[in-house]
């Protein structure tokens, strides 16, 4: 057991962030890695017991972390994003959530043996499917748009609502079974809930107004948001316990729908502070489990409850709620199976386990074990089955890995056409409608918006695209885009144009430290590539065969030609780069940007005739 509390705080942080890195590096569900690490450090090896070591600070830390995490989830509840998603999505997030709540209540009471009061609260929480778990699974599995849209928006919308329903369920349970059952107490509860909502709304409006009018400097925006969230939670919770979560959720929803220009600062706040809290809280919760609690997971009641949630509650709630919609049977089966629980389920359940025990519900002692079993099982089962099941049901996005081009120009339009010619999915993204005009004229798929905006993840289905090329005229922006998307694509799949030769640019060596790999074997800049296209350079593809080898290709290609990418027989695309050697083999298709004066077609015809003569 660690004696130094300071060293334990450091170790918890290191284990949490280290788990996030390991999950990114090896493409594993982060929640699984953090849970295993926490279990090893806590009940297995006995290195720490945070709940015992932190003492009275443990509960406030968990409560504040849950408040920040719920605020993060509610920041995604932009009502404009919910509109136009169709009847199936609406049914799933309303009727589906309600049916799941009722069925979960019955399963928790009759199978897990929980009292009606505890089952009522925990069943409300278990309707959540965390976006922090769902979105990586969708990128990994490459689902078709319809089921992917339903799963994505269900995770975003229901995540904070589930915790919100749990808060209401707890307050109603307190009133019904508590010692004070007067109408005044019930009225006080509803007034406190209204006060919490109004407080959250006022805090959100106040922060948004201060940001828009310039009353808060840039460097203080993230700290101000953090402190207001804590204050909002604490004030509401002091008035009436457990309403603080309702208050911060209302605050986040208010800010999300104000569409203020400084929302990026709150996203930065979310990505930094919330990530640290998510990582450390998972380790804290799992490390605080005792061996006795851990062994409870293997009780037949808990195992039976988890199986009911996986194979009965979730599928039945989806099938009943989507009855009469245009969802196919395959889509219902897939959506009815995929429902991984995430950080909110585990953290909030730990929170309610404590308050329910304090309220006298002794059976709440198994809530942490029950939730951990459900979270761990769903993440593993759904994480490792979504790809296989989607292929079996014909809901997987088949085809070669796609390419996302950032920056509209004549060069990117011609490159997109060349990719389309070899059956590679491609989309061009740009914040300027005018720069996308050539793409629209050529019939190339485009996205009008800022690629660095967090909303892009909800507006653009990223699943078909495994490669990104930042091809704007601004070198620093290209590097920023590539650096930002390293976690999603990996640096090996990120490319940018070579640094420009404009006078005054002092960015030599930039791409050696940040950004993606430089496109092409000669590192042509934005100006050079677009000038080539304007002067009639065209993309040509060459089949590499046994008769016409890559060496023959290099001997015949024009000296001014630039090799851009290779299409492999496996449908994989490999871009040429100065930083890595691209192997070209028999069966590959080489696509290069070649001068118009080169009699390329005549050479190809001559070689084709030679090949046919050899075959004869």
């Amino acid at each position: 057991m660690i004696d130094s509390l300071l060293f334990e705080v450091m170790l918890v942080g290191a284990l949490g962030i280290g788990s996030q890195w390991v999950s990114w590096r090896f493409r594993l569900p982060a929640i699984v890695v953090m849970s295993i690490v926490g279990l090893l450090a806590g009940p297995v090896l006995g290195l720490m017991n945070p709940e015992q070591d932190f003492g009275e600070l443990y509960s406030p830390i968990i409560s504040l972390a849950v408040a920040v995490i719920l605020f993060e989830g509610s920041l995604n509840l932009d009502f404009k994003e919910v509109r136009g998603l169709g009847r199936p999505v609406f049914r799933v997030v309303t009727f589906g959530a309600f049916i799941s709540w009722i069925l979960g209540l019955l399963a928790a009471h009759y199978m897990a043996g929980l009292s009606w009061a505890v089952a009522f609260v925990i069943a409300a929480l278990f309707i959540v499917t965390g976006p922090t778990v769902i979105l990586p699974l969708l990128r990994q599995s490459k689902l078709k748009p319809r089921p992917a849209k339903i799963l994505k928006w269900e995770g975003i919308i229901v995540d904070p609502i589930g915790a919100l329903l749990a808060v209401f369920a707890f307050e109603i349970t307190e009133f019904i079974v508590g010692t004070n059952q007067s109408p005044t107490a019930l009225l006080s509860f509803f007034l406190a809930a209204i006060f919490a909502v109004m407080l959250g709304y006022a805090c959100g409006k106040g922060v948004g107004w201060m940001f828009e009018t310039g009353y808060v400097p840039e460097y203080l925006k993230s700290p101000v948001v953090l402190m207001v969230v804590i204050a909002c939670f604490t004030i509401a919770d002091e008035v009436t316990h457990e309403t603080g979560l309702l208050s911060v959720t209302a605050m986040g929803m208010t800010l999300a729908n104000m569409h203020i220009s400084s929302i990026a600062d709150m996203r930065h706040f979310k990505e930094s502070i919330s990530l640290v809290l998510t990582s450390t809280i998972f380790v804290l919760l799992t490390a605080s489990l005792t061996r006795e609690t851990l062994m409870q997971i293997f009780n037949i009641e808990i195992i039976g409850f988890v199986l009911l949630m996986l194979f009965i509650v979730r599928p039945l709630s989806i099938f009943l709620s989507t009855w009469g919609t245009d969802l196919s049977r395959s889509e219902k089966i897939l959506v009815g199976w995929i429902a991984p629980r995430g950080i909110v389920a585990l953290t909030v359940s730990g929170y309610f386990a404590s308050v329910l025990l304090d309220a006298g519900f002794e059976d709440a002692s198994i809530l942490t074990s029950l939730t951990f079993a459900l979270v761990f099982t769903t993440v593993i089962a759904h994480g490792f089955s979504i790809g296989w099941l989607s292929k079996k049901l014909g809901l997987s996005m088949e085809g070669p890995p796609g390419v996302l081009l950032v920056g509209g120009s004549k060069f990117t339009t011609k490159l997109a056409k060349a990719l389309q010619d070899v059956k590679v999915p491609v989309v061009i993204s740009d914040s300027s409608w005018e720069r996308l005009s050539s793409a629209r004229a050529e019939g190339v798929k485009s996205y009008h918006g800022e690629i660095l905006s967090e909303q892009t993840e909800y507006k653009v289905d990223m699943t078909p695209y495994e490669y990104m090329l930042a091809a704007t005229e601004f070198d620093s922006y290209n590097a920023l885009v590539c650096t930002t998307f390293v976690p999603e694509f990996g640096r090996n799949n990120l490319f940018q144009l070579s640094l420009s030769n404009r006078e005054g640019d002092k960015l030599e060596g930039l791409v050696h430290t940040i950004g993606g790999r430089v496109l092409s074997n000669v590192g042509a800049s934005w100006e050079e590539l677009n000038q080539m296209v304007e002067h009639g350079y065209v993309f040509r593809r060459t089949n590499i065969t046994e008769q016409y080898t890559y060496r023959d290709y290099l001997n015949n290609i024009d000296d001014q030609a630039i090799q851009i990418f290779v299409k492999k027989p496996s449908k994989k695309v490999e871009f040429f780069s100065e930083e890595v050697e691209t192997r070209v083999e028999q069966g590959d298709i080489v696509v290069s940007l070649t001068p118009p004066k080169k009699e390329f077609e005549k050479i190809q015809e001559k070689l084709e005739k030679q090949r046919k003569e050899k075959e004869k």
Side-chain angles (χ1 to χ4, degrees):
M1 181 70 70
I2 297 173
D3 296 328
S4 171
L5 184 59
L6 180 61
F7 183 80
E8 184 169 336
V9 171
M10 180 277 297
L11 183 60
V12 168
L15 291 176
I17 300 301
S19 299
Q20 290 279 3
W21 181 86
V22 170
S23 65
W24 163 77
R25 181 65 179 82
F26 297 100
R27 296 189 176 185
L28 299 172
I31 191 173
V32 175
V33 179
M34 289 184 289
S35 301
I36 292 175
V37 168
L39 290 175
L40 291 174
V44 176
L45 300 178
L47 298 177
M48 65 175 78
N49 187 338
E51 184 173 10
Q52 176 181 326
D53 299 336
F54 282 75
E56 294 182 356
L57 290 176
Y58 181 80
S59 181
I61 289 173
I62 297 294
S63 299
L64 290 176
V66 171
V68 173
I69 293 167
L70 282 181
F71 174 74
E72 169 204 354
S74 59
L75 272 179
N76 290 316
L77 286 180
D78 186 345
F79 295 134
K80 286 187 177 180
E81 302 298 327
V82 179
R83 297 171 187 167
L85 293 176
R87 216 168 38 146
V89 175
F90 175 78
R91 291 274 196 91
V92 168
V93 301
T94 54
F95 299 115
F98 179 75
I99 294 171
S100 179
W101 186 4
I102 300 303
L103 295 179
L105 166 65
L106 298 175
H109 176 69
Y110 289 108
M111 178 56 70
L114 298 177
S115 62
W116 284 111
V118 176
F120 184 56
V121 174
I122 201 64
L125 178 60
F126 284 164
I127 70 172
V128 303
T129 59
T132 55
V133 184
I134 278 287
L135 294 180
L137 288 184
L138 295 180
R139 285 193 291 268
Q140 170 191 341
S141 59
K142 292 188 176 182
L143 292 182
K144 288 184 177 179
R146 279 167 57 92
K149 179 187 292 187
I150 294 173
L151 290 171
K152 179 175 69 175
W153 284 105
E154 180 194 15
I156 294 171
I157 296 172
V158 177
D159 197 48
I161 292 179
L164 190 63
L165 287 176
V167 173
F168 275 112
F170 174 75
E171 293 296 341
I172 294 173
T173 299
E174 276 275 86
F175 167 74
I176 294 175
V177 302
T179 56
N180 187 5
Q181 297 181 334
S182 67
T184 304
L186 181 60
L187 180 61
S188 298
F189 159 68
F190 284 110
L191 289 176
I194 294 173
F195 170 77
V197 173
M198 296 304 296
L199 176 63
Y201 176 80
C203 289
K205 281 289 186 180
V207 169
W209 177 80
M210 292 175 66
F211 282 11
E212 283 290 85
T213 54
Y215 279 96
V216 179
E218 290 296 324
Y219 72 94
L220 279 181
K221 287 184 176 179
S222 292
V224 165
V225 171
L226 176 61
M227 294 313 301
V228 173
V229 170
I230 294 175
C232 183
F233 170 80
T234 304
I235 293 172
D237 207 62
E238 287 295 318
V239 173
T240 298
H241 291 301
E242 305 8 296
T243 59
L245 298 178
L246 175 61
S247 188
V248 295
T249 303
M251 176 183 171
M253 292 175 64
T254 302
L255 282 169
N257 289 277
M258 288 181 69
H259 306 110
I260 60 177
S261 57
S262 297
I263 192 69
D265 299 284
M266 280 168 277
R267 291 184 186 126
H268 173 71
F269 153 79
K270 181 192 74 171
E271 292 171 358
S272 54
I273 301 299
S274 188
L275 177 63
V276 172
L277 289 175
T278 299
S279 306
T280 54
I281 292 305
F282 251 113
V283 175
L284 282 174
L285 289 171
T286 53
S288 298
L289 294 174
T290 63
R291 294 182 180 178
E292 292 75 15
T293 302
L294 194 60
M295 292 305 297
Q296 284 182 337
I297 294 175
F298 301 100
N299 288 351
I300 188 64
E301 293 84 1
I302 292 181
I303 294 175
F305 171 78
V306 171
L307 293 177
L308 279 178
M309 293 294 290
L310 261 68
F311 296 101
I312 302 297
V313 174
R314 171 65 178 184
L316 193 57
S317 65
I318 295 299
F319 271 84
L320 291 177
S321 63
T322 58
W323 186 273
T325 65
D326 59 349
L327 284 185
S328 66
R329 182 181 179 184
S330 297
E331 290 172 330
K332 291 180 181 180
I333 292 175
L334 182 67
V335 175
W337 168 245
I338 303 300
R341 273 65 172 185
I343 179 66
V344 170
L346 191 55
T347 53
V348 177
S349 72
Y351 174 79
F352 278 115
S354 175
V355 296
L356 285 169
L357 282 171
D358 293 341
F361 299 99
E362 297 182 359
D363 55 327
S365 60
I366 71 167
L367 287 188
T368 302
S369 300
L370 187 71
T371 308
F372 181 76
L374 182 63
V375 169
F376 198 78
T377 303
T378 55
V379 168
I380 291 181
H382 299 154
F384 291 105
S385 66
I386 185 170
W388 172 83
L389 182 60
S390 62
K391 290 180 181 178
K392 288 291 184 181
L393 296 174
L395 298 176
S396 178
M397 293 283 290
E398 298 181 357
V403 179
L404 175 58
L405 303 177
V406 181
S409 65
K410 293 182 180 179
F411 165 72
T412 53
T413 299
K414 295 299 182 183
L415 175 58
K417 292 292 291 182
L419 288 164
Q420 286 182 342
D421 290 342
V422 292
K423 310 300 182 183
V424 174
V426 62
V427 63
I428 301 178
S429 170
D430 202 300
S431 58
S432 170
W433 186 257
E434 182 180 355
R435 286 194 292 266
L436 290 173
S437 59
S438 61
R440 295 195 303 272
E442 294 286 344
V444 174
K445 184 179 179 181
S446 61
Y447 165 67
H448 178 225
E450 173 54 59
I451 194 66
L452 293 178
S453 171
E454 187 179 272
Q455 294 301 317
T456 301
E457 188 171 19
Y458 307 125
K459 293 180 179 179
V460 179
D461 183 13
M462 294 281 192
T463 53
Y465 310 108
E466 288 191 9
Y467 303 92
M468 174 181 283
L469 169 61
T472 72
E473 58 186 306
F474 304 105
D475 304 320
S476 299
Y477 182 79
N478 292 338
L480 176 61
V481 168
C482 290
T483 302
T484 302
F485 282 92
V486 163
E488 285 78 12
F489 289 87
R491 191 170 187 272
N492 291 340
N493 294 346
L494 286 168
F495 296 85
Q496 66 184 81
L497 299 186
S498 177
L499 299 182
S500 66
N501 297 322
R502 292 172 296 193
E503 185 177 355
D505 283 343
K506 303 294 183 183
L507 300 173
E508 294 84 356
L510 175 66
V511 295
H512 297 296
T513 56
I514 62 174
R517 293 175 171 175
V518 175
L519 178 70
S520 83
N521 57 332
V522 296
S525 66
W526 184 89
E527 290 91 343
E528 294 168 339
L529 291 169
N530 279 281
Q531 286 176 6
M532 290 177 182
V533 172
E534 290 177 359
H535 285 83
Y537 275 62
V538 294
F539 283 93
R540 290 190 171 94
R541 59 180 185 269
T542 304
N543 295 312
I544 303 302
T545 63
E546 184 179 356
Q547 292 77 22
Y548 187 59
T549 65
Y550 184 54
R551 184 180 297 274
D552 296 329
Y553 167 80
L554 293 177
N555 291 333
N556 286 280
I557 194 172
D558 192 288
D559 293 337
Q560 295 181 346
I562 299 177
Q563 299 177 71
I564 302 297
F565 68 88
V566 176
K567 172 71 177 302
K568 296 287 185 180
S570 62
K571 299 181 180 181
K572 182 180 179 183
V573 174
E574 291 186 8
F575 285 94
F576 284 94
S577 175
E578 292 177 315
E579 301 178 41
V580 63
E581 181 182 357
T582 302
R583 297 185 60 184
V584 181
E585 302 169 337
Q586 180 180 335
D588 293 348
I589 300 175
V590 180
V591 178
S592 55
L593 186 59
T594 61
K597 295 181 181 180
K598 182 69 177 179
E599 296 182 354
F600 195 82
E601 291 83 358
K602 293 182 180 180
I603 295 176
Q604 290 290 84
E605 291 176 4
K606 181 180 177 181
L607 292 169
E608 183 67 18
K609 289 180 180 180
Q610 292 177 353
R611 185 185 65 80
K612 290 182 179 179
E613 290 177 357
K614 289 182 180 180
E615 290 178 353
K616 290 180 179 179

